[in-house]
């Protein structure tokens, strides 16, 4: 087999083509090599080509609303990527990075049209793969859209609020009740035994301390209750954002998939009409 066809025959994506068809296609497509760590494209770049991996690994990722990188997929030998931007002619929505030295084949719209003309079933195979990826991305979006409410709440807590929560938590526990009753009993017992008690009955000093404790404990408990109400609001907002984001992303994915399906079916229809006229 000629050397210029060997790299095409090694890729499973082109196994549907015979040698003559690969000969025609090899004159159209371009082979390229990306060293490890190279950005093949980034979000926002024009989508003028798709890529088929001959050898190597490519990571597809995007930046979410929290400015964190989210890995959508890692593709290897025989996989293709960047097809959506090629088909709908929209800017790239994600970033592709070579994880190791990677050899790819670049395919533009004319190359893709040539491939579908030679093998219409390749369009259906590509459509099935795109649909599978959209489903996987849908699952990823559902899991990534949900932020941990406890982490969000902890990020917004001040030192005073943390202290109030801990005091309120301890004040409503059995250890606090046991310690409090023990101190009261000890105070009363000691002043009952002493000939000259430092706080004789009716224990006015003890009542003063209890009043001071109650005066301080009440606002601390109210602060903790206000924090609980604020936490509930945060959780409700996060739930709303999760539902809204999932709904919008699913709608966009279905819209893009419908557009790709219509374009591929139109291309297949034109090809079938051409074959019918030729026969």
């Amino acid at each position: 087999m000629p050397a210029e066809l060997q790299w095409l025959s090694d890729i499973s994506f082109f196994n549907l083509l015979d040698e003559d068809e690969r000969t025609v296609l090899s004159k159209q497509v371009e082979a390229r090599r990306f060293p490890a760590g190279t950005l093949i494209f980034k979000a926002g770049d024009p989508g003028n080509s798709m890529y088929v991996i001959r050898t190597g690994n490519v990571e597809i990722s995007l930046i979410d609303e929290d400015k964190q990188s989210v890995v959508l997929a890692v593709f290897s030998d025989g996989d293709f990527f960047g097809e959506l931007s090629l088909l709908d002619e929209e800017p790239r929505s994600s970033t592709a990075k070579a994880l190791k030295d990677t050899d790819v084949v670049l395919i533009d719209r004319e190359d893709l049209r040539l491939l579908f003309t030679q093998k219409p079933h390749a369009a259906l195979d590509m459509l099935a793969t795109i649909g599978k990826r959209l489903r996987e991305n849908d699952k990823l979006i559902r899991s990534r859209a949900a932020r941990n409410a406890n982490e969000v709440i902890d990020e917004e807590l001040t030192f005073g609020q943390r202290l109030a929560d801990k005091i309120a938590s301890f004040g409503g526990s059995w250890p606090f009740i046991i310690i409090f009753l023990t101190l009261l009993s000890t105070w009363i017992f000691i002043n009952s035994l002493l000939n000259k008690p430092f706080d004789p009955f009716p224990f006015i000093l003890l009542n003063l301390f209890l009043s001071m404790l109650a005066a301080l404990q009440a606002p601390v408990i109210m602060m903790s209750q206000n924090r609980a109400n604020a936490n509930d609001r945060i959780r409700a907002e996060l739930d709303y954002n999760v539902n809204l984001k999932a709904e919008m992303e699913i709608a966009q994915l279905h819209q893009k998939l419908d557009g790709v399906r219509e374009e591929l079916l139109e291309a297949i229809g034109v090809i079938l009409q051409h074959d019918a006229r030729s026969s």
Side-chain angles (χ1 to χ4, degrees), residues 209-224:
F209 287 153
L210 292 178
S211 299
M212 293 173 59
L213 177 62
L216 292 175
Q217 193 176 27
V220 170
I221 293 175
M222 292 181 63
M223 289 174 59
S224 181

Side-chain angles (χ1 to χ4, degrees), residues 247-258:
E247 182 178 355
M248 293 178 61
E249 292 291 343
I250 292 173
Q252 292 176 1
L253 289 175
H254 282 297
Q255 183 179 4
K256 182 170 289 189
L257 179 58
D258 291 339

Side-chain angles (χ1 to χ4, degrees), residues 167-181:
I167 293 176
S169 177
F170 178 70
S173 64
W174 277 110
F176 172 79
I177 296 175
I178 294 173
I179 293 173
F180 188 70
L181 290 176

Side-chain angles (χ1 to χ4, degrees), residues 58-69:
V58 175
E59 177 187 87
I60 306 297
S61 63
L62 53 79
I63 303 299
D64 64 7
E65 294 180 354
D66 298 328
K67 307 302 181 182
Q68 296 181 352
S69 178

Side-chain angles (χ1 to χ4, degrees), residues 39-214:
L39 286 180
I40 301 175
F41 58 77
K42 62 180 182 298
D45 288 348
N48 52 11
S49 60
M50 62 175 286
Y51 301 80
V52 182
I53 303 175
R54 179 187 176 190
T55 59
N57 293 105
V58 175
E59 177 187 87
I60 306 297
S61 63
L62 53 79
I63 303 299
D64 64 7
E65 294 180 354
D66 298 328
K67 307 302 181 182
Q68 296 181 352
S69 178
V70 180
V71 178
L72 299 177
V74 175
F75 297 131
S76 57
D77 302 0
D79 293 330
F80 62 89
F81 60 94
E83 71 285 351
L84 289 181
S85 294
L86 174 63
L87 293 172
D88 60 15
E89 298 183 310
E90 294 290 334
R92 304 288 187 186
S93 58
S94 58
T95 299
K97 178 181 179 181
L99 298 181
K100 62 180 182 179
D101 294 345
T102 302
D103 294 320
V104 300
V105 177
L106 276 68
I107 301 178
D108 58 23
R109 291 180 67 87
E110 288 302 320
D111 299 333
L112 200 62
R113 191 180 301 277
L114 176 62
L115 174 62
F116 292 163
T117 301
Q118 299 292 338
K119 291 293 182 181
H121 290 293
L124 296 178
D125 293 338
M126 177 179 289
L127 184 60
T129 302
I130 293 174
K132 181 180 178 181
R133 291 181 182 177
L134 290 178
R135 291 182 182 275
E136 293 174 352
N137 289 341
D138 181 29
K139 295 179 181 178
L140 180 61
I141 289 171
R142 288 179 180 272
S143 62
R144 283 292 305 176
R147 298 182 63 191
N148 190 326
N150 294 327
E151 293 179 356
V152 175
I153 293 170
D154 289 340
E155 291 174 359
E156 298 181 357
L157 282 178
T158 63
F159 174 77
Q161 291 170 338
R162 295 178 188 273
L163 182 61
D165 288 343
K166 290 181 179 180
I167 293 176
S169 177
F170 178 70
S173 64
W174 277 110
F176 172 79
I177 296 175
I178 294 173
I179 293 173
F180 188 70
L181 290 176
T182 301
L183 290 176
L184 287 179
S185 301
T186 303
W187 184 287
I188 295 173
F189 181 75
I190 291 176
N191 282 278
S192 299
L193 293 179
L194 294 176
N195 293 328
K196 293 183 179 181
F198 58 87
D199 185 23
F201 182 85
F203 312 113
I204 296 176
L205 184 59
L206 177 60
N207 289 326
L208 176 62
F209 287 153
L210 292 178
S211 299
M212 293 173 59
L213 177 62

